[in-house]
Structure formats: structure tokens, C-alpha cells
Amino acid sequence: KHKETAKKGATVKVAEVEVEDNISKECTVEVYVFDSDGVNVQVTDGAFEATKTGTYTVRYIALDENGNCAFASYEIVVK
């Protein structure tokens, strides 16, 4: 499983993702970041503020025009 590290107080850029679908031409991707307490952290312009130490989880949800979805995630350890 992919892990990255960052420093407390840093603005952390989340990885950009690319999705393809074998039928639909349009797919939407939503990104969510959760801190070590499971609290949703605001993502603005592809980045978030690492306000405390711990492991943050970045989750992606891809949805096609037929309602099919796929998930991916990785972790960022903030020290």
C-alpha cells in the first residue's frame, strides 16, 4: 500500500488521478481526506492542511455516467 510523509502544518498536495472507462466517456472523480480520527478534512485546489500529526487517508471515488463506481486510497503520515 502506498504511503507518503509530510510535516505537521504543511499544505499537502494530493496525488492527481486519471480514470478511464471502457464504455462511458465521462467519469467524475471525488477526493476525500480523513485525518487519524476519521474526520473529513477540507480539500481545496487538490491540497489540504495537515493540522495535526497522525495518518491521513486520501480516498478517491470514480463514478461513470451509468452509476458504476471504483475506489482507491493511500495514506500520508504526518509527523
Side-chain angles (χ1 to χ4, degrees):
K1 192 170 188 178
H2 180 74
K3 278 193 179 183
E4 293 184 13
T5 59
K7 290 185 178 181
K8 180 181 173 186
T11 299
V12 181
K13 186 162 177 62
V14 298
E16 293 184 25
V17 295
E18 203 173 292
V19 296
E20 292 182 21
D21 188 87
N22 61 343
I23 298 172
S24 301
K25 293 184 180 189
E26 294 293 322
C27 292
T28 59
V29 177
E30 296 179 8
V31 60
Y32 298 94
V33 175
F34 298 92
D35 68 17
S36 56
D37 295 321
V39 176
N40 191 4
V41 177
Q42 182 175 347
V43 178
T44 305
D45 296 327
F48 69 94
E49 298 297 321
T51 58
K52 60 184 178 180
T53 59
T55 301
Y56 288 70
T57 302
V58 180
R59 290 190 182 140
Y60 300 93
I61 301 173
L63 186 66
D64 72 11
E65 59 192 24
N66 294 316
N68 300 311
C69 60
F71 304 91
S73 65
Y74 71 97
E75 294 178 340
I76 299 173
V77 178
V78 175
K79 297 179 180 183

PDB file of all heavy atoms in Angstrom, residues 21-60:
ATOM      1  N   ASP A  21     -12.830   4.630 -18.664  1.00  0.00           N
ATOM      2  CA  ASP A  21     -13.945   3.689 -18.626  1.00  0.00           C
ATOM      3  C   ASP A  21     -14.087   3.104 -20.020  1.00  0.00           C
ATOM      4  O   ASP A  21     -13.975   3.827 -21.014  1.00  0.00           O
ATOM      5  CB  ASP A  21     -15.231   4.421 -18.211  1.00  0.00           C
ATOM      6  CG  ASP A  21     -16.376   3.471 -17.978  1.00  0.00           C
ATOM      7  OD1 ASP A  21     -16.490   2.971 -16.850  1.00  0.00           O
ATOM      8  OD2 ASP A  21     -17.150   3.221 -18.915  1.00  0.00           O
ATOM      9  N   ASN A  22     -14.347   1.812 -20.109  1.00  0.00           N
ATOM     10  CA  ASN A  22     -14.409   1.169 -21.421  1.00  0.00           C
ATOM     11  C   ASN A  22     -15.702   1.471 -22.174  1.00  0.00           C
ATOM     12  O   ASN A  22     -15.799   1.186 -23.360  1.00  0.00           O
ATOM     13  CB  ASN A  22     -14.213  -0.344 -21.288  1.00  0.00           C
ATOM     14  CG  ASN A  22     -15.285  -0.999 -20.441  1.00  0.00           C
ATOM     15  OD1 ASN A  22     -15.996  -0.338 -19.704  1.00  0.00           O
ATOM     16  ND2 ASN A  22     -15.373  -2.309 -20.527  1.00  0.00           N
ATOM     17  N   ILE A  23     -16.694   2.067 -21.503  1.00  0.00           N
ATOM     18  CA  ILE A  23     -17.957   2.390 -22.167  1.00  0.00           C
ATOM     19  C   ILE A  23     -18.261   3.887 -22.092  1.00  0.00           C
ATOM     20  O   ILE A  23     -18.500   4.526 -23.097  1.00  0.00           O
ATOM     21  CB  ILE A  23     -19.118   1.572 -21.559  1.00  0.00           C
ATOM     22  CG1 ILE A  23     -18.875   0.078 -21.780  1.00  0.00           C
ATOM     23  CG2 ILE A  23     -20.458   1.989 -22.168  1.00  0.00           C
ATOM     24  CD1 ILE A  23     -19.838  -0.831 -21.067  1.00  0.00           C
ATOM     25  N   SER A  24     -18.248   4.428 -20.894  1.00  0.00           N
ATOM     26  CA  SER A  24     -18.592   5.840 -20.694  1.00  0.00           C
ATOM     27  C   SER A  24     -17.437   6.749 -21.093  1.00  0.00           C
ATOM     28  O   SER A  24     -16.277   6.413 -20.894  1.00  0.00           O
ATOM     29  CB  SER A  24     -18.921   6.101 -19.221  1.00  0.00           C
ATOM     30  OG  SER A  24     -19.991   5.300 -18.809  1.00  0.00           O
ATOM     31  N   LYS A  25     -17.782   7.888 -21.632  1.00  0.00           N
ATOM     32  CA  LYS A  25     -16.754   8.873 -21.958  1.00  0.00           C
ATOM     33  C   LYS A  25     -16.524   9.816 -20.793  1.00  0.00           C
ATOM     34  O   LYS A  25     -15.462  10.395 -20.667  1.00  0.00           O
ATOM     35  CB  LYS A  25     -17.153   9.669 -23.201  1.00  0.00           C
ATOM     36  CG  LYS A  25     -17.167   8.823 -24.448  1.00  0.00           C
ATOM     37  CD  LYS A  25     -17.463   9.634 -25.670  1.00  0.00           C
ATOM     38  CE  LYS A  25     -17.473   8.714 -26.881  1.00  0.00           C
ATOM     39  NZ  LYS A  25     -17.550   9.389 -28.128  1.00  0.00           N
ATOM     40  N   GLU A  26     -17.520   9.980 -19.952  1.00  0.00           N
ATOM     41  CA  GLU A  26     -17.428  10.899 -18.829  1.00  0.00           C
ATOM     42  C   GLU A  26     -17.370  10.145 -17.510  1.00  0.00           C
ATOM     43  O   GLU A  26     -18.206   9.302 -17.229  1.00  0.00           O
ATOM     44  CB  GLU A  26     -18.644  11.836 -18.804  1.00  0.00           C
ATOM     45  CG  GLU A  26     -18.715  12.800 -19.976  1.00  0.00           C
ATOM     46  CD  GLU A  26     -17.602  13.817 -19.970  1.00  0.00           C
ATOM     47  OE1 GLU A  26     -17.226  14.298 -18.886  1.00  0.00           O
ATOM     48  OE2 GLU A  26     -17.099  14.137 -21.058  1.00  0.00           O
ATOM     49  N   CYS A  27     -16.361  10.443 -16.720  1.00  0.00           N
ATOM     50  CA  CYS A  27     -16.246   9.920 -15.367  1.00  0.00           C
ATOM     51  C   CYS A  27     -15.927  11.089 -14.442  1.00  0.00           C
ATOM     52  O   CYS A  27     -15.172  11.983 -14.820  1.00  0.00           O
ATOM     53  CB  CYS A  27     -15.129   8.896 -15.262  1.00  0.00           C
ATOM     54  SG  CYS A  27     -15.439   7.366 -16.143  1.00  0.00           S
ATOM     55  N   THR A  28     -16.516  11.075 -13.282  1.00  0.00           N
ATOM     56  CA  THR A  28     -16.188  12.094 -12.285  1.00  0.00           C
ATOM     57  C   THR A  28     -15.387  11.442 -11.178  1.00  0.00           C
ATOM     58  O   THR A  28     -15.578  10.270 -10.859  1.00  0.00           O
ATOM     59  CB  THR A  28     -17.451  12.743 -11.694  1.00  0.00           C
ATOM     60  OG1 THR A  28     -18.256  11.725 -11.093  1.00  0.00           O
ATOM     61  CG2 THR A  28     -18.252  13.452 -12.757  1.00  0.00           C
ATOM     62  N   VAL A  29     -14.472  12.206 -10.616  1.00  0.00           N
ATOM     63  CA  VAL A  29     -13.649  11.721  -9.517  1.00  0.00           C
ATOM     64  C   VAL A  29     -13.801  12.676  -8.354  1.00  0.00           C
ATOM     65  O   VAL A  29     -13.654  13.890  -8.512  1.00  0.00           O
ATOM     66  CB  VAL A  29     -12.160  11.623  -9.920  1.00  0.00           C
ATOM     67  CG1 VAL A  29     -11.314  11.178  -8.730  1.00  0.00           C
ATOM     68  CG2 VAL A  29     -11.985  10.679 -11.084  1.00  0.00           C
ATOM     69  N   GLU A  30     -14.120  12.124  -7.199  1.00  0.00           N
ATOM     70  CA  GLU A  30     -14.191  12.913  -5.973  1.00  0.00           C
ATOM     71  C   GLU A  30     -13.054  12.461  -5.078  1.00  0.00           C
ATOM     72  O   GLU A  30     -12.711  11.281  -5.043  1.00  0.00           O
ATOM     73  CB  GLU A  30     -15.533  12.709  -5.282  1.00  0.00           C
ATOM     74  CG  GLU A  30     -16.700  13.200  -6.109  1.00  0.00           C
ATOM     75  CD  GLU A  30     -18.033  12.972  -5.427  1.00  0.00           C
ATOM     76  OE1 GLU A  30     -18.065  12.572  -4.250  1.00  0.00           O
ATOM     77  OE2 GLU A  30     -19.055  13.189  -6.086  1.00  0.00           O
ATOM     78  N   VAL A  31     -12.440  13.415  -4.366  1.00  0.00           N
ATOM     79  CA  VAL A  31     -11.353  13.083  -3.454  1.00  0.00           C
ATOM     80  C   VAL A  31     -11.738  13.524  -2.050  1.00  0.00           C
ATOM     81  O   VAL A  31     -12.296  14.609  -1.859  1.00  0.00           O
ATOM     82  CB  VAL A  31     -10.013  13.712  -3.893  1.00  0.00           C
ATOM     83  CG1 VAL A  31     -10.081  15.224  -3.942  1.00  0.00           C
ATOM     84  CG2 VAL A  31      -8.885  13.249  -3.005  1.00  0.00           C
ATOM     85  N   TYR A  32     -11.475  12.648  -1.106  1.00  0.00           N
ATOM     86  CA  TYR A  32     -11.750  12.927   0.303  1.00  0.00           C
ATOM     87  C   TYR A  32     -10.495  12.629   1.102  1.00  0.00           C
ATOM     88  O   TYR A  32      -9.772  11.678   0.802  1.00  0.00           O
ATOM     89  CB  TYR A  32     -12.890  12.038   0.821  1.00  0.00           C
ATOM     90  CG  TYR A  32     -14.191  12.259   0.105  1.00  0.00           C
ATOM     91  CD1 TYR A  32     -14.547  11.468  -0.985  1.00  0.00           C
ATOM     92  CD2 TYR A  32     -15.062  13.257   0.511  1.00  0.00           C
ATOM     93  CE1 TYR A  32     -15.746  11.665  -1.650  1.00  0.00           C
ATOM     94  CE2 TYR A  32     -16.269  13.463  -0.157  1.00  0.00           C
ATOM     95  CZ  TYR A  32     -16.602  12.664  -1.229  1.00  0.00           C
ATOM     96  OH  TYR A  32     -17.788  12.865  -1.888  1.00  0.00           O
ATOM     97  N   VAL A  33     -10.250  13.441   2.116  1.00  0.00           N
ATOM     98  CA  VAL A  33      -9.131  13.205   3.018  1.00  0.00           C
ATOM     99  C   VAL A  33      -9.692  13.102   4.434  1.00  0.00           C
ATOM    100  O   VAL A  33     -10.505  13.941   4.843  1.00  0.00           O
ATOM    101  CB  VAL A  33      -8.086  14.341   2.935  1.00  0.00           C
ATOM    102  CG1 VAL A  33      -6.980  14.135   3.964  1.00  0.00           C
ATOM    103  CG2 VAL A  33      -7.492  14.418   1.535  1.00  0.00           C
ATOM    104  N   PHE A  34      -9.247  12.079   5.151  1.00  0.00           N
ATOM    105  CA  PHE A  34      -9.674  11.861   6.527  1.00  0.00           C
ATOM    106  C   PHE A  34      -8.447  11.850   7.426  1.00  0.00           C
ATOM    107  O   PHE A  34      -7.440  11.207   7.096  1.00  0.00           O
ATOM    108  CB  PHE A  34     -10.417  10.530   6.655  1.00  0.00           C
ATOM    109  CG  PHE A  34     -11.666  10.479   5.826  1.00  0.00           C
ATOM    110  CD1 PHE A  34     -11.630   9.974   4.535  1.00  0.00           C
ATOM    111  CD2 PHE A  34     -12.859  10.963   6.316  1.00  0.00           C
ATOM    112  CE1 PHE A  34     -12.773   9.938   3.755  1.00  0.00           C
ATOM    113  CE2 PHE A  34     -14.010  10.931   5.539  1.00  0.00           C
ATOM    114  CZ  PHE A  34     -13.970  10.420   4.258  1.00  0.00           C
ATOM    115  N   ASP A  35      -8.531  12.564   8.553  1.00  0.00           N
ATOM    116  CA  ASP A  35      -7.404  12.566   9.483  1.00  0.00           C
ATOM    117  C   ASP A  35      -7.404  11.282  10.310  1.00  0.00           C
ATOM    118  O   ASP A  35      -8.244  10.401  10.108  1.00  0.00           O
ATOM    119  CB  ASP A  35      -7.400  13.827  10.348  1.00  0.00           C
ATOM    120  CG  ASP A  35      -8.555  13.912  11.333  1.00  0.00           C
ATOM    121  OD1 ASP A  35      -9.219  12.898  11.617  1.00  0.00           O
ATOM    122  OD2 ASP A  35      -8.791  15.030  11.852  1.00  0.00           O
ATOM    123  N   SER A  36      -6.476  11.170  11.252  1.00  0.00           N
ATOM    124  CA  SER A  36      -6.328   9.939  12.023  1.00  0.00           C
ATOM    125  C   SER A  36      -7.525   9.639  12.923  1.00  0.00           C
ATOM    126  O   SER A  36      -7.694   8.511  13.374  1.00  0.00           O
ATOM    127  CB  SER A  36      -5.047   9.987  12.862  1.00  0.00           C
ATOM    128  OG  SER A  36      -5.059  11.142  13.694  1.00  0.00           O
ATOM    129  N   ASP A  37      -8.382  10.643  13.163  1.00  0.00           N
ATOM    130  CA  ASP A  37      -9.609  10.437  13.937  1.00  0.00           C
ATOM    131  C   ASP A  37     -10.808  10.135  13.048  1.00  0.00           C
ATOM    132  O   ASP A  37     -11.927  10.018  13.530  1.00  0.00           O
ATOM    133  CB  ASP A  37      -9.917  11.668  14.788  1.00  0.00           C
ATOM    134  CG  ASP A  37      -8.856  11.911  15.849  1.00  0.00           C
ATOM    135  OD1 ASP A  37      -8.363  10.923  16.443  1.00  0.00           O
ATOM    136  OD2 ASP A  37      -8.496  13.082  16.083  1.00  0.00           O
ATOM    137  N   GLY A  38     -10.580  10.058  11.728  1.00  0.00           N
ATOM    138  CA  GLY A  38     -11.665   9.781  10.791  1.00  0.00           C
ATOM    139  C   GLY A  38     -12.472  11.007  10.402  1.00  0.00           C
ATOM    140  O   GLY A  38     -13.511  10.896   9.767  1.00  0.00           O
ATOM    141  N   VAL A  39     -11.979  12.195  10.764  1.00  0.00           N
ATOM    142  CA  VAL A  39     -12.667  13.445  10.438  1.00  0.00           C
ATOM    143  C   VAL A  39     -12.319  13.869   9.017  1.00  0.00           C
ATOM    144  O   VAL A  39     -11.142  13.875   8.631  1.00  0.00           O
ATOM    145  CB  VAL A  39     -12.280  14.557  11.446  1.00  0.00           C
ATOM    146  CG1 VAL A  39     -12.917  15.884  11.066  1.00  0.00           C
ATOM    147  CG2 VAL A  39     -12.674  14.146  12.858  1.00  0.00           C
ATOM    148  N   ASN A  40     -13.336  14.213   8.247  1.00  0.00           N
ATOM    149  CA  ASN A  40     -13.141  14.668   6.866  1.00  0.00           C
ATOM    150  C   ASN A  40     -12.438  16.020   6.872  1.00  0.00           C
ATOM    151  O   ASN A  40     -12.893  16.953   7.518  1.00  0.00           O
ATOM    152  CB  ASN A  40     -14.501  14.763   6.168  1.00  0.00           C
ATOM    153  CG  ASN A  40     -14.395  14.973   4.687  1.00  0.00           C
ATOM    154  OD1 ASN A  40     -13.304  14.974   4.130  1.00  0.00           O
ATOM    155  ND2 ASN A  40     -15.522  15.142   4.043  1.00  0.00           N
ATOM    156  N   VAL A  41     -11.322  16.112   6.160  1.00  0.00           N
ATOM    157  CA  VAL A  41     -10.520  17.331   6.071  1.00  0.00           C
ATOM    158  C   VAL A  41     -10.819  18.001   4.737  1.00  0.00           C
ATOM    159  O   VAL A  41     -10.895  17.333   3.707  1.00  0.00           O
ATOM    160  CB  VAL A  41      -9.017  16.982   6.175  1.00  0.00           C
ATOM    161  CG1 VAL A  41      -8.158  18.212   6.019  1.00  0.00           C
ATOM    162  CG2 VAL A  41      -8.728  16.274   7.491  1.00  0.00           C
ATOM    163  N   GLN A  42     -10.974  19.313   4.758  1.00  0.00           N
ATOM    164  CA  GLN A  42     -11.294  20.044   3.526  1.00  0.00           C
ATOM    165  C   GLN A  42     -10.143  19.989   2.532  1.00  0.00           C
ATOM    166  O   GLN A  42      -8.992  20.244   2.882  1.00  0.00           O
ATOM    167  CB  GLN A  42     -11.623  21.499   3.833  1.00  0.00           C
ATOM    168  CG  GLN A  42     -12.010  22.285   2.593  1.00  0.00           C
ATOM    169  CD  GLN A  42     -12.446  23.705   2.927  1.00  0.00           C
ATOM    170  OE1 GLN A  42     -12.695  24.032   4.081  1.00  0.00           O
ATOM    171  NE2 GLN A  42     -12.542  24.533   1.926  1.00  0.00           N
ATOM    172  N   VAL A  43     -10.477  19.655   1.282  1.00  0.00           N
ATOM    173  CA  VAL A  43      -9.509  19.645   0.186  1.00  0.00           C
ATOM    174  C   VAL A  43      -9.847  20.809  -0.722  1.00  0.00           C
ATOM    175  O   VAL A  43     -10.966  20.925  -1.216  1.00  0.00           O
ATOM    176  CB  VAL A  43      -9.570  18.314  -0.602  1.00  0.00           C
ATOM    177  CG1 VAL A  43      -8.597  18.347  -1.776  1.00  0.00           C
ATOM    178  CG2 VAL A  43      -9.289  17.140   0.312  1.00  0.00           C
ATOM    179  N   THR A  44      -8.879  21.701  -0.921  1.00  0.00           N
ATOM    180  CA  THR A  44      -9.067  22.871  -1.776  1.00  0.00           C
ATOM    181  C   THR A  44      -7.973  22.892  -2.824  1.00  0.00           C
ATOM    182  O   THR A  44      -6.786  22.819  -2.471  1.00  0.00           O
ATOM    183  CB  THR A  44      -9.015  24.170  -0.940  1.00  0.00           C
ATOM    184  OG1 THR A  44      -9.984  24.076   0.112  1.00  0.00           O
ATOM    185  CG2 THR A  44      -9.307  25.390  -1.792  1.00  0.00           C
ATOM    186  N   ASP A  45      -8.357  22.979  -4.079  1.00  0.00           N
ATOM    187  CA  ASP A  45      -7.391  23.001  -5.186  1.00  0.00           C
ATOM    188  C   ASP A  45      -6.397  21.844  -5.101  1.00  0.00           C
ATOM    189  O   ASP A  45      -5.207  22.005  -5.343  1.00  0.00           O
ATOM    190  CB  ASP A  45      -6.646  24.338  -5.232  1.00  0.00           C
ATOM    191  CG  ASP A  45      -7.569  25.505  -5.520  1.00  0.00           C
ATOM    192  OD1 ASP A  45      -8.565  25.310  -6.261  1.00  0.00           O
ATOM    193  OD2 ASP A  45      -7.314  26.616  -5.007  1.00  0.00           O
ATOM    194  N   GLY A  46      -6.889  20.667  -4.718  1.00  0.00           N
ATOM    195  CA  GLY A  46      -6.060  19.476  -4.693  1.00  0.00           C
ATOM    196  C   GLY A  46      -5.086  19.388  -3.530  1.00  0.00           C
ATOM    197  O   GLY A  46      -4.123  18.637  -3.584  1.00  0.00           O
ATOM    198  N   ALA A  47      -5.344  20.164  -2.456  1.00  0.00           N
ATOM    199  CA  ALA A  47      -4.438  20.134  -1.307  1.00  0.00           C
ATOM    200  C   ALA A  47      -5.227  20.296  -0.010  1.00  0.00           C
ATOM    201  O   ALA A  47      -6.360  20.771  -0.012  1.00  0.00           O
ATOM    202  CB  ALA A  47      -3.396  21.235  -1.428  1.00  0.00           C
ATOM    203  N   PHE A  48      -4.592  19.902   1.098  1.00  0.00           N
ATOM    204  CA  PHE A  48      -5.197  20.080   2.409  1.00  0.00           C
ATOM    205  C   PHE A  48      -4.137  20.515   3.410  1.00  0.00           C
ATOM    206  O   PHE A  48      -2.938  20.366   3.165  1.00  0.00           O
ATOM    207  CB  PHE A  48      -5.886  18.787   2.879  1.00  0.00           C
ATOM    208  CG  PHE A  48      -4.940  17.661   3.210  1.00  0.00           C
ATOM    209  CD1 PHE A  48      -4.502  17.457   4.507  1.00  0.00           C
ATOM    210  CD2 PHE A  48      -4.492  16.806   2.219  1.00  0.00           C
ATOM    211  CE1 PHE A  48      -3.643  16.416   4.811  1.00  0.00           C
ATOM    212  CE2 PHE A  48      -3.631  15.758   2.517  1.00  0.00           C
ATOM    213  CZ  PHE A  48      -3.198  15.569   3.817  1.00  0.00           C
ATOM    214  N   GLU A  49      -4.583  21.049   4.533  1.00  0.00           N
ATOM    215  CA  GLU A  49      -3.684  21.486   5.594  1.00  0.00           C
ATOM    216  C   GLU A  49      -3.525  20.352   6.603  1.00  0.00           C
ATOM    217  O   GLU A  49      -4.511  19.870   7.156  1.00  0.00           O
ATOM    218  CB  GLU A  49      -4.241  22.728   6.295  1.00  0.00           C
ATOM    219  CG  GLU A  49      -4.395  23.933   5.380  1.00  0.00           C
ATOM    220  CD  GLU A  49      -3.078  24.418   4.807  1.00  0.00           C
ATOM    221  OE1 GLU A  49      -2.060  24.410   5.535  1.00  0.00           O
ATOM    222  OE2 GLU A  49      -3.065  24.800   3.621  1.00  0.00           O
ATOM    223  N   ALA A  50      -2.297  19.934   6.844  1.00  0.00           N
ATOM    224  CA  ALA A  50      -2.005  18.884   7.824  1.00  0.00           C
ATOM    225  C   ALA A  50      -1.871  19.552   9.189  1.00  0.00           C
ATOM    226  O   ALA A  50      -0.785  19.922   9.614  1.00  0.00           O
ATOM    227  CB  ALA A  50      -0.735  18.141   7.435  1.00  0.00           C
ATOM    228  N   THR A  51      -2.987  19.704   9.875  1.00  0.00           N
ATOM    229  CA  THR A  51      -3.010  20.477  11.119  1.00  0.00           C
ATOM    230  C   THR A  51      -2.581  19.687  12.348  1.00  0.00           C
ATOM    231  O   THR A  51      -2.350  20.278  13.397  1.00  0.00           O
ATOM    232  CB  THR A  51      -4.418  21.045  11.370  1.00  0.00           C
ATOM    233  OG1 THR A  51      -5.346  19.963  11.428  1.00  0.00           O
ATOM    234  CG2 THR A  51      -4.811  22.016  10.266  1.00  0.00           C
ATOM    235  N   LYS A  52      -2.516  18.364  12.233  1.00  0.00           N
ATOM    236  CA  LYS A  52      -2.082  17.556  13.371  1.00  0.00           C
ATOM    237  C   LYS A  52      -1.332  16.337  12.883  1.00  0.00           C
ATOM    238  O   LYS A  52      -1.414  15.968  11.708  1.00  0.00           O
ATOM    239  CB  LYS A  52      -3.267  17.163  14.244  1.00  0.00           C
ATOM    240  CG  LYS A  52      -4.328  16.344  13.560  1.00  0.00           C
ATOM    241  CD  LYS A  52      -5.484  16.108  14.528  1.00  0.00           C
ATOM    242  CE  LYS A  52      -6.585  15.334  13.872  1.00  0.00           C
ATOM    243  NZ  LYS A  52      -7.696  15.108  14.791  1.00  0.00           N
ATOM    244  N   THR A  53      -0.594  15.724  13.805  1.00  0.00           N
ATOM    245  CA  THR A  53       0.165  14.529  13.442  1.00  0.00           C
ATOM    246  C   THR A  53      -0.758  13.318  13.361  1.00  0.00           C
ATOM    247  O   THR A  53      -1.856  13.324  13.902  1.00  0.00           O
ATOM    248  CB  THR A  53       1.278  14.263  14.475  1.00  0.00           C
ATOM    249  OG1 THR A  53       0.687  14.084  15.761  1.00  0.00           O
ATOM    250  CG2 THR A  53       2.287  15.391  14.516  1.00  0.00           C
ATOM    251  N   GLY A  54      -0.288  12.313  12.668  1.00  0.00           N
ATOM    252  CA  GLY A  54      -1.051  11.077  12.526  1.00  0.00           C
ATOM    253  C   GLY A  54      -1.108  10.646  11.081  1.00  0.00           C
ATOM    254  O   GLY A  54      -0.464  11.222  10.203  1.00  0.00           O
ATOM    255  N   THR A  55      -1.893   9.628  10.831  1.00  0.00           N
ATOM    256  CA  THR A  55      -2.030   9.086   9.489  1.00  0.00           C
ATOM    257  C   THR A  55      -3.307   9.602   8.844  1.00  0.00           C
ATOM    258  O   THR A  55      -4.397   9.421   9.382  1.00  0.00           O
ATOM    259  CB  THR A  55      -2.052   7.545   9.523  1.00  0.00           C
ATOM    260  OG1 THR A  55      -0.830   7.091  10.115  1.00  0.00           O
ATOM    261  CG2 THR A  55      -2.180   6.963   8.123  1.00  0.00           C
ATOM    262  N   TYR A  56      -3.160  10.272   7.720  1.00  0.00           N
ATOM    263  CA  TYR A  56      -4.285  10.779   6.939  1.00  0.00           C
ATOM    264  C   TYR A  56      -4.543   9.789   5.809  1.00  0.00           C
ATOM    265  O   TYR A  56      -3.608   9.247   5.223  1.00  0.00           O
ATOM    266  CB  TYR A  56      -3.970  12.142   6.337  1.00  0.00           C
ATOM    267  CG  TYR A  56      -3.922  13.275   7.333  1.00  0.00           C
ATOM    268  CD1 TYR A  56      -2.902  13.385   8.277  1.00  0.00           C
ATOM    269  CD2 TYR A  56      -4.896  14.270   7.313  1.00  0.00           C
ATOM    270  CE1 TYR A  56      -2.859  14.438   9.181  1.00  0.00           C
ATOM    271  CE2 TYR A  56      -4.860  15.321   8.207  1.00  0.00           C
ATOM    272  CZ  TYR A  56      -3.838  15.395   9.134  1.00  0.00           C
ATOM    273  OH  TYR A  56      -3.800  16.443  10.033  1.00  0.00           O
ATOM    274  N   THR A  57      -5.806   9.556   5.496  1.00  0.00           N
ATOM    275  CA  THR A  57      -6.173   8.676   4.398  1.00  0.00           C
ATOM    276  C   THR A  57      -6.779   9.502   3.275  1.00  0.00           C
ATOM    277  O   THR A  57      -7.710  10.279   3.501  1.00  0.00           O
ATOM    278  CB  THR A  57      -7.189   7.611   4.857  1.00  0.00           C
ATOM    279  OG1 THR A  57      -6.615   6.865   5.937  1.00  0.00           O
ATOM    280  CG2 THR A  57      -7.539   6.666   3.716  1.00  0.00           C
ATOM    281  N   VAL A  58      -6.230   9.357   2.083  1.00  0.00           N
ATOM    282  CA  VAL A  58      -6.755  10.023   0.890  1.00  0.00           C
ATOM    283  C   VAL A  58      -7.570   8.978   0.139  1.00  0.00           C
ATOM    284  O   VAL A  58      -7.043   7.918  -0.214  1.00  0.00           O
ATOM    285  CB  VAL A  58      -5.621  10.558  -0.002  1.00  0.00           C
ATOM    286  CG1 VAL A  58      -6.186  11.253  -1.234  1.00  0.00           C
ATOM    287  CG2 VAL A  58      -4.723  11.498   0.787  1.00  0.00           C
ATOM    288  N   ARG A  59      -8.849   9.272  -0.099  1.00  0.00           N
ATOM    289  CA  ARG A  59      -9.736   8.325  -0.784  1.00  0.00           C
ATOM    290  C   ARG A  59     -10.291   8.958  -2.045  1.00  0.00           C
ATOM    291  O   ARG A  59     -10.747  10.102  -2.030  1.00  0.00           O
ATOM    292  CB  ARG A  59     -10.892   7.910   0.117  1.00  0.00           C
ATOM    293  CG  ARG A  59     -10.462   7.045   1.251  1.00  0.00           C
ATOM    294  CD  ARG A  59     -11.625   6.444   1.982  1.00  0.00           C
ATOM    295  NE  ARG A  59     -11.121   5.656   3.098  1.00  0.00           N
ATOM    296  CZ  ARG A  59     -11.675   5.626   4.282  1.00  0.00           C
ATOM    297  NH1 ARG A  59     -12.764   6.314   4.519  1.00  0.00           N
ATOM    298  NH2 ARG A  59     -11.147   4.897   5.235  1.00  0.00           N
ATOM    299  N   TYR A  60     -10.284   8.181  -3.112  1.00  0.00           N
ATOM    300  CA  TYR A  60     -10.832   8.608  -4.396  1.00  0.00           C
ATOM    301  C   TYR A  60     -12.053   7.755  -4.720  1.00  0.00           C
ATOM    302  O   TYR A  60     -12.030   6.543  -4.506  1.00  0.00           O
ATOM    303  CB  TYR A  60      -9.813   8.427  -5.515  1.00  0.00           C
ATOM    304  CG  TYR A  60      -8.542   9.209  -5.326  1.00  0.00           C
ATOM    305  CD1 TYR A  60      -7.442   8.638  -4.709  1.00  0.00           C
ATOM    306  CD2 TYR A  60      -8.449  10.518  -5.757  1.00  0.00           C
ATOM    307  CE1 TYR A  60      -6.272   9.349  -4.533  1.00  0.00           C
ATOM    308  CE2 TYR A  60      -7.283  11.241  -5.591  1.00  0.00           C
ATOM    309  CZ  TYR A  60      -6.199  10.649  -4.976  1.00  0.00           C
ATOM    310  OH  TYR A  60      -5.047  11.359  -4.807  1.00  0.00           O
TER     311      TYR A  60
END
